[in-house]
Amino acid sequence: MIDLSTLNPPQREAVTTTEGPLLVLAGAGSGKTRVIAHRVAWLLQKGVEPSAILCVTFTNKAAREMRERVVALAGALGGDVFVSTFHAFGLWLLRQEHKAAGLPRRFAICDDGDQLSLVKRALREFDVEGRAFDAQKLLAMISRAKAAGQDGIAVRPEGQGDDYDLVAAEVLPRYQQALLAQRAVDFDDLISRPVALLRGDAAVRKRSQQRFHYLLVDEYQDTNLAQLELLKLVAGKPMNVCAVGDDDQAIYGWRGAEVKNILRFERHFPGAKEVRLEQNYRSTGHILACANGVIAPNPDRRPKKLWTAAGDGDPVEVADLADEEEEARFVASAMSRLRGEGRPWSHFAVLYRLNAQSGPFEEALREAGIPHRVHGAPAFFDRAEVRDLLAYLKVCAEPRDDVSLARIVNVPARGIGDTSLGRLQDFAAREGLPLGKAVVRAAEAPGMPAGAAARLGELSGLLSRYRAAFSAGRLAETARRLVEEVDLYSHARQGARSPEAGNRRVEAIDGLIRSLERWEERTGKKPTLGNWLAKLALDSREEEEVADEGVSLMSLHAAKGLEFPVVFLVGLEEELLPVAGMKGEARDLAEERRLAYVGITRARERLFLTRARVRVKRGKAIPRTPSRFLGDLPAGAHALHDPAKADRPEDVASRSAEVLAALRARLAGPGR
């Protein structure tokens, strides 16, 4: 039997209300993951088949944690519940119904780098004389259009805007055609294509609705319009949809998330019941009071007020510093002082609105000898040497992958320059061939040097050999042979600033192969290179793991879902938090307020809010205005920093003596 006695009354209500639509408004730190896991276990205990339950969330890490909790509560039966990310579910559905979706049995998933290359290629085809357009911005516009369920991009009247909508409207169909030619989908297609399939094919829709009778959605406030439509199409009748989320933590509007999905839940799922989880198990009372004060002025929110039974704790400390250097020194000094209480460095986090704010804090922590890690640095899968090997593997898995083939044509250098590659691409376009087939006929390309044609033929032969080798199995071993034969190690070392940097590049290549080897050993079915690459395309978007040692420095967006005993939320100034948008006004004041709320609720025991009175910009000292959010802090829950008291040696010694005395008493207690 599932023990519900450890749940508070609203949590028990959320777990046991199983029929019909249910919205669980779960405030920060209110135990939402616990509720979802208990709800799944409760359904299984009632006799619901595991295969009839679908539980979706946003990251593989969250899905793994959910699955582990369900198994811990329900035993082996819990392992058969379909727990996944939205995109992994979309991929599963497209593979199950690939014929109905108009896809080959084996299709590839383009990662971020591949998508950017396709946009750049489309831009070359659609030349705007004298204008340069940012491919990354265009890709973001395409992604937002797909997230909103749009087939195209609306063009504004002439003279309005910056013309990016006009160019994006032309790029989008070319981009989609390139995906089709490569037998590939992009990340957004893993939602938009299942939606189109379920909407347009009654038989597929019926099969899905007959299988999944109970749907659970984590972080519902982060869903976009396409994900909402996917849920509605899978749910069918009756709509046993349980959505768990918090509109006060909706901070991803810039990437298509729609807070209205949670605010209008009853409109999409008529007859819905609402349960509010407001008891917080993470933070002290004073921290929660400040969080409640900051979020309360937001319009169009579902009112809720976090509370705790754990006591008020220390007041939130608000520090008003002279400039960014003093702000950073204050943070380093406060950390050193609290370190005297016996805290490890991993207890501390510095959170900021923009990644560009990290510099002074990195410098101050280095000077103080405090170990730290900056999150948001270039990701592993963005490294050139990793992308080179991935391109080889992708071409071996899918010969039609023109983007990957173009990347490796001269990696390592084979004497095939950009001119020869351009002639080959022109020949392929004229003949209507994928680049892989054009390589075999390279000698027919007008103007192609005989030497370049011969080397392209050698590359084609190499890829054919390894394609066959990968099909035979032993994927990691084959990948190692490929790396050695083309000498990717030497290529990676070239241009490195030092032997150590070259070794790190080689280690990155080996790390990718080890990842393939581990997956190959774990997977139960016959492993294929295509399946591993598809998994990698999903996993490469995962959130960074927080290191066990050292202080964490990260943006507020990166901190979502994390918690730390001691948090320094820095840069509480107008134009930083809230960040400035057009004409200096807050870009989206409601979302900026939610970001501040998320930052405050990351803290468990101590919270410091800092701001600088002056910041230097382009060599000029610019006076700063305190953030309007500071004016929302309740008087009894925060205290202004007093520099005269902060670092007195006698205070540090007194606190250290207290900590040591408490440790001695605990060690001398019963059972020791």
Side-chain angles (χ1 to χ4, degrees):
M1 291 288 291
I2 304 300
D3 180 12
L4 302 185
S5 65
T6 59
L7 305 179
N8 64 39
Q11 288 176 333
R12 283 197 295 275
E13 185 179 7
V15 166
T16 57
T17 304
T18 58
E19 305 308 306
L22 174 69
L23 176 61
V24 181
L25 286 171
S30 63
K32 69 177 179 63
T33 306
R34 197 159 180 250
V35 164
I36 295 173
H38 276 78
R39 183 180 171 89
V40 173
W42 180 261
L43 286 169
L44 293 173
Q45 182 175 285
K46 286 181 62 179
V48 175
E49 288 294 322
S51 60
I53 303 172
L54 172 62
C55 184
V56 287
T57 185
F58 279 86
T59 68
N60 289 308
K61 178 183 175 184
R64 282 193 302 271
E65 181 183 351
M66 192 74 67
R67 193 177 297 109
E68 289 167 2
R69 289 203 186 194
V70 169
V71 170
L73 287 168
L77 202 62
D80 295 329
V81 175
F82 200 128
V83 183
S84 79
T85 64
F86 268 100
H87 293 88
F89 171 68
L91 175 61
W92 173 84
L93 186 59
L94 289 177
R95 282 182 169 161
Q96 291 289 113
E97 305 286 355
H98 66 92
K99 287 184 180 178
L103 288 167
R105 186 166 63 88
R106 294 180 181 176
F107 57 86
I109 303 173
C110 282
D111 62 21
D112 294 345
D114 295 335
Q115 291 174 246
L116 200 58
S117 296
L118 291 177
V119 170
K120 288 177 179 176
R121 181 200 291 181
L123 269 176
R124 287 195 296 271
E125 296 173 5
F126 179 67
D127 183 41
V128 181
E129 188 174 351
R131 292 286 302 275
F133 289 89
D134 181 354
Q136 190 72 60
K137 182 175 178 178
L138 290 168
L139 182 58
M141 293 176 71
I142 290 171
S143 179
R144 283 197 298 272
K146 290 187 176 186
Q150 300 167 359
D151 295 328
I153 293 175
V155 176
R156 287 171 293 190
E158 186 176 354
Q160 294 184 17
D162 53 13
D163 294 331
Y164 266 86
D165 53 337
L166 180 65
V167 176
E170 290 289 335
V171 166
L172 177 55
R174 289 171 167 82
Y175 171 83
Q176 288 296 100
Q177 186 59 40
L179 285 175
L180 183 64
Q182 292 185 189
R183 300 155 61 94
V185 298
D186 68 12
F187 205 63
D188 296 299
D189 287 334
L190 296 178
I191 305 298
S192 61
R193 291 194 69 147
V195 166
L197 174 62
L198 291 167
R199 187 184 287 147
D201 193 317
V204 173
R205 186 167 63 250
K206 185 177 180 181
R207 282 196 292 273
S208 297
Q209 291 175 354
Q210 285 178 337
R211 168 165 179 175
F212 298 111
H213 297 162
Y214 294 90
L215 277 63
L216 294 92
V217 191
D218 189 19
E219 303 287 7
Y220 186 71
Q221 77 281 350
D222 294 337
T223 55
N224 58 38
L225 293 176
Q227 287 160 339
L228 169 63
E229 191 63 22
L230 180 62
L231 290 171
K232 290 164 70 176
L233 288 164
V234 174
K237 303 288 184 182
M239 286 185 161
N240 294 324
V241 176
C242 174
V244 183
D246 181 9
D247 54 304
D248 290 336
Q249 296 186 74
I251 60 173
Y252 295 115
W254 53 276
R255 69 182 188 194
E258 183 52 78
V259 69
K260 289 179 182 177
N261 287 355
I262 194 168
L263 295 176
R264 300 175 180 175
F265 185 78
E266 294 87 349
R267 185 181 302 181
H268 300 297
F269 301 98
K273 181 177 180 178
E274 180 184 295
V275 175
R276 300 188 183 198
L277 307 183
E278 297 174 296
Q279 183 174 0
N280 178 281
Y281 294 92
R282 176 191 300 159
S283 306
T284 64
H286 283 324
I287 291 172
L288 296 179
C290 289
N292 290 330
V294 166
I295 200 62
N298 250 7
D300 301 325
R301 63 181 286 262
R302 290 176 178 261
K304 65 190 79 69
K305 191 171 184 179
L306 297 179
W307 63 277
T308 180
D312 287 338
D314 292 306
V316 171
E317 190 164 335
V318 180
D320 186 352
L321 291 316
D323 54 30
E324 60 256 57
E325 290 185 3
E326 185 179 330
E327 182 185 36
R329 286 195 297 270
F330 165 79
V331 169
S333 175
M335 285 181 183
S336 297
R337 175 165 49 89
L338 292 171
R339 169 78 165 173
E341 298 177 356
R343 295 180 181 275
W345 292 121
S346 59
H347 273 201
F348 301 95
V350 181
L351 309 183
Y352 34 75
R353 177 62 179 86
L354 303 172
N355 284 318
Q357 292 173 250
S358 70
F361 299 98
E362 293 179 65
E363 185 175 341
L365 294 178
R366 272 197 302 269
E367 288 180 358
I370 298 175
H372 59 278
R373 179 186 176 193
V374 181
H375 298 263
F380 176 78
F381 292 100
D382 290 337
R383 300 181 63 152
E385 59 274 13
V386 172
R387 295 195 61 76
D388 288 340
L389 175 53
L390 278 174
Y392 270 99
L393 298 178
K394 287 177 180 180
V395 175
C396 288
E398 177 45 70
R400 293 173 181 259
D401 190 339
D402 290 359
V403 170
S404 296
L405 180 55
R407 182 183 182 95
I408 63 171
V409 156
N410 208 37
V411 174
R414 296 184 174 88
I416 303 166
D418 290 340
T419 301
S420 295
L421 178 58
R423 287 170 177 160
L424 183 70
Q425 289 172 324
D426 290 342
F427 171 69
R430 189 167 55 252
E431 296 294 319
L433 297 171
L435 198 61
K437 294 202 175 197
V439 166
V440 181
R441 296 171 52 186
E444 301 175 36
M448 180 70 71
R455 287 185 285 274
L456 284 166
E458 291 170 3
L459 173 62
S460 177
L462 178 139
L463 293 173
S464 294
R465 280 192 291 110
Y466 277 97
R467 203 166 284 133
F470 279 117
S471 296
R474 305 183 70 85
L475 305 180
E477 181 181 308
T478 304
R480 282 196 183 90
R481 289 205 313 271
L482 173 61
V483 166
E484 289 166 2
E485 182 167 345
V486 299
D487 204 8
L488 274 182
Y489 290 136
S490 295
H491 175 73
R493 286 193 173 97
Q494 288 174 5
R497 287 178 291 182
S498 66
E500 292 77 15
N503 290 337
R504 283 196 296 271
R505 292 180 179 183
V506 167
E507 176 58 29
I509 292 173
D510 284 338
L512 187 65
I513 296 174
R514 285 195 300 273
S515 172
L516 172 56
E517 188 171 44
R518 288 192 298 270
W519 176 82
E520 192 175 11
E521 290 170 354
R522 281 197 313 268
T523 189
K525 301 175 183 178
K526 181 183 177 184
T528 69
L529 188 58
N531 284 345
W532 179 70
L533 289 168
K535 177 185 179 298
L536 212 60
L538 296 177
D539 288 354
S540 66
R541 292 193 171 216
E542 270 296 69
E543 309 294 334
E544 283 186 273
E545 294 289 337
V546 175
D548 290 333
E549 297 179 2
V551 173
S552 292
L553 284 74
M554 64 181 70
S555 72
L556 287 167
H557 285 102
K560 174 73 165 58
L562 303 177
E563 58 183 70
F564 302 89
V566 183
V567 166
F568 294 83
L569 178 52
V570 301
L572 267 293
E573 303 149 30
E574 293 293 306
E575 299 185 2
L576 272 182
L577 188 62
V579 77
M582 297 295 290
K583 298 180 181 179
E585 292 298 316
R587 187 158 60 193
D588 180 341
L589 184 57
E591 186 155 313
E592 292 297 305
R593 193 176 285 281
R594 293 194 291 267
L595 267 171
Y597 174 83
V598 165
I600 290 170
T601 54
R602 298 313 93 195
R604 296 208 304 256
E605 301 165 19
R606 297 294 304 274
L607 174 64
F608 296 80
L609 306 177
T610 70
R611 81 157 186 111
R613 293 190 293 274
V614 169
R615 289 189 188 271
V616 176
K617 190 173 182 180
R618 295 174 186 156
K620 185 178 179 182
I622 308 294
R624 307 292 295 175
T625 303
S627 170
R628 67 192 76 186
F629 303 151
L630 292 173
D632 297 318
L633 303 178
H638 76 284
L640 295 179
H641 163 66
D642 183 351
K645 291 175 60 179
D647 297 307
R648 292 191 306 176
E650 58 267 31
D651 291 340
V652 175
S654 174
R655 279 192 301 271
S656 297
E658 290 174 7
V659 171
L660 290 172
L663 283 172
R664 288 192 187 97
R666 193 172 71 189
L667 291 172
R672 290 287 179 181

